[in-house]
Amino acid sequence: MDTHSWPGENLNSTFPADFAWGVATSAHQVEGENFNNQWHAWERNGRIKSRDSVGLACDWWKNAEQDFDLAKSLGINALRLSVEWSRIEPSPGQWDHAALARYRDILKALRDRGIRPFVTLHHFTNPLWFESKGGFAAAESVAVFQRFTRRVLAALGDLCSDWTTFNEPNVYSALGYFLGEFPPGERGSFLKAARVTENLCRAHAAAYRTIHALQANANVGWAQHFVVFKPTRPESAIDRWISAFIDRRFNNNFAETIETGRSPFPLNHFRRHLDEVKDTCDYIGINYYSRLRAGFAPRSPKTLFFQLTVPSHKPQGDHGVEIPYGEAYPDGLRRAVERFKSFKKPIYILENGVPDRNDRIRPWLLESTVEQLRGLLAEGTDLRGYFHWTLTDNFEWNEGWHLRFGLIELDTKTQERKMRPSAQLYSQLIHRFSRNRTH
Ligand code: FCB
């Protein structure tokens, strides 16, 4: 597949020479056999909608290196992964040195291949012992997470300087405490979701300071999930109000607290300021996938009477077991970037992709997204990297294996890999826009 050309233009001048052309992953989704976290318990309790089990996943705990070879062959120069807390600290204060040694090998394997590692400290999973004490709803969670951060930095700090504290704190609290889709599966616990968000902000800030105290050149942020919301019926005042309300609460709550030092809504009406969380990021990390319609739903009291939908004629990836995944809407990336401009920090797109087993729309999505990046860079936006979700098909949380996000197709029975056409396309885009064409 050929990519667009822009006649008379020096393509190489748009993307900075050190732009991170990456892919993103997370421990539970790729490593396999993580039996000591709350997501495994969720799976055992029959809560994965497809009834699939993670099993060996992409077998990264034993052999991540084969995928790193494939990433290198595509010209990818950065890879985002997470460390699994339940492996590193299987019981409170007990450290598994073999697990830390394996993570050292993984990071070295990336660096040996010229791939810059970006490490996420928390990507949705909690050790069972932590979850049983209330997870991030408990006040002690902040200090416990800080202790974990310190340990990870001591073990891996010489191999990585790009850190993401939390992946999508807004998804973690909304799906776990409000929509009941993620563990612990609570529905409508509005105040608890806000408390969890507040503790995540405090844990993020503590981790930020801990990392900087231990590493002079650290680059630290969090990954903010952003959804473009639109009223289901634009002519309806209530739909417009609902859409604006969800947009503000879901997309802004965490970021606003970090920016202003005020507790997340509705706790901001009761609490003192959280000054310690202010100015605790070196970059803005954005995970952007889709657009959703939000409207009034009189029969959904548990979700505060709103419903999220996607019009069937809009481009979208494969359908989830119960709910649509979202409209694939590459133009919305600009909205996400603009929303967080006020931080005046460099921006990384830390995730972007589509579930698309047959590569129907992924090539279009990739090309359109890179075009968006190009436009934003040309206007002077300080964009430092793009990470496609994901390299090899992996286990999609409560949906299981049927949603396939990989540039590379995985046969979970044989562990065989097959490049999708979009893997070659991503490779071509990287080579076309990289100033450093040594790959
Ligand atoms: C994001 C998650 C990531 C992956 C993608 C498809 O919300 O951070 O782990 O599941 O969605």
Side-chain angles (χ1 to χ4, degrees), residues 90-109:
S91 49
Q94 302 287 309
W95 309 102
D96 185 327
H97 298 286
L100 286 166
R102 175 63 185 138
Y103 283 121
R104 285 191 65 78
D105 287 346
I106 286 177
L107 296 187
K108 279 187 201 151

Side-chain angles (χ1 to χ4, degrees), residues 29 123-124 167-168 225 287 289 325 351 389 396-397 405:
Q29 296 176 274
H123 196 124
F124 294 161
N167 181 66
E168 303 186 341
H225 189 93
N287 293 1
Y289 289 87
Y325 182 76
E351 286 183 28
W389 185 277
E396 178 55 18
W397 303 113
F405 282 84

Side-chain angles (χ1 to χ4, degrees), residues 74-358:
L74 294 173
I76 285 162
N77 66 10
L79 190 143
R80 179 174 167 233
L81 50 76
S82 71
V83 285
E84 174 60 34
W85 186 2
S86 66
R87 280 193 196 275
I88 294 174
E89 192 178 2
S91 49
Q94 302 287 309
W95 309 102
D96 185 327
H97 298 286
L100 286 166
R102 175 63 185 138
Y103 283 121
R104 285 191 65 78
D105 287 346
I106 286 177
L107 296 187
K108 279 187 201 151
L110 287 170
R111 292 164 62 102
D112 287 348
R113 288 163 178 78
I115 300 176
R116 175 175 163 195
F118 280 64
V119 172
T120 305
L121 295 173
H122 186 275
H123 196 124
F124 294 161
T125 56
N126 296 328
L128 284 172
W129 58 263
F130 177 82
E131 188 76 359
S132 72
K133 291 182 184 167
F136 282 98
E140 311 77 70
S141 57
V142 177
V144 175
F145 188 73
Q146 189 176 16
R147 179 180 67 188
F148 167 66
T149 303
R150 210 175 285 126
R151 196 70 196 79
V152 171
L153 261 287
L156 308 178
D158 58 325
L159 298 172
C160 171
S161 54
D162 296 295
W163 306 95
T164 301
T165 54
F166 286 93
N167 181 66
E168 303 186 341
N170 56 342
V171 170
Y172 178 90
S173 58
L175 272 65
Y177 294 88
F178 187 64
L179 296 173
E181 295 267 327
F182 277 15
E186 294 187 25
R187 289 176 76 88
S189 303
F190 200 44
L191 279 174
K192 201 162 173 191
R195 196 161 72 224
V196 167
T197 303
E198 186 173 278
N199 284 337
L200 288 171
C201 285
R202 293 172 58 225
H204 159 80
Y208 177 86
R209 293 188 208 292
T210 302
I211 298 171
H212 275 286
L214 296 169
Q215 198 178 52
N217 61 338
N219 184 33
V220 190
W222 80 94
Q224 174 70 41
H225 189 93
F226 184 87
V227 173
V228 175
F229 291 103
K230 198 182 163 175
T232 311
R233 293 157 302 177
E235 68 285 3
S236 146
I238 184 151
D239 282 9
R240 287 202 303 274
W241 187 87
I242 284 175
S243 172
F245 179 81
I246 298 175
D247 174 30
R248 178 97 195 269
R249 302 290 54 110
F250 180 76
N251 288 322
N252 281 31
N253 238 11
F254 187 92
E256 224 168 69
T257 299
I258 300 295
E259 194 170 19
T260 63
R262 298 184 57 203
S263 292
F265 175 85
L267 299 180
N268 54 342
H269 296 302
F270 312 107
R271 300 267 165 102
R272 61 181 174 79
H273 284 195
L274 292 173
D275 284 332
E276 83 265 24
V277 309
K278 268 211 254 179
D279 198 23
T280 53
C281 65
D282 304 315
Y283 66 84
I284 294 295
I286 296 174
N287 293 1
Y288 172 67
Y289 289 87
S290 58
R291 173 160 75 171
L292 287 167
R293 302 295 197 275
F296 180 53
R299 272 173 288 163
S300 304
K302 284 255 165 144
T303 55
L304 291 184
F305 303 103
F306 71 80
Q307 194 180 18
L308 301 172
T309 51
V310 180
S312 54
H313 64 281
K314 294 288 182 187
Q316 55 181 306
D318 300 340
H319 203 282
V321 172
E322 288 165 4
I323 42 179
Y325 182 76
E327 176 192 345
Y329 181 57
D331 291 1
L333 187 70
R334 166 175 293 277
R335 298 263 283 276
V337 166
E338 274 164 7
R339 179 69 61 91
F340 303 108
K341 252 190 184 159
S342 56
F343 279 85
K344 298 194 170 48
K345 300 279 180 186
I347 295 172
Y348 293 86
I349 307 305
L350 288 180
E351 286 183 28
N352 170 257
V354 64
D356 186 4
R357 181 184 290 268
N358 298 319

Side-chain angles (χ1 to χ4, degrees), residues 359-373:
D359 233 7
R360 288 178 291 117
I361 63 168
R362 190 180 286 105
W364 161 77
L365 182 101
L366 260 171
E367 282 203 272
S368 317
T369 303
V370 171
E371 209 170 320
Q372 289 290 322
L373 298 175

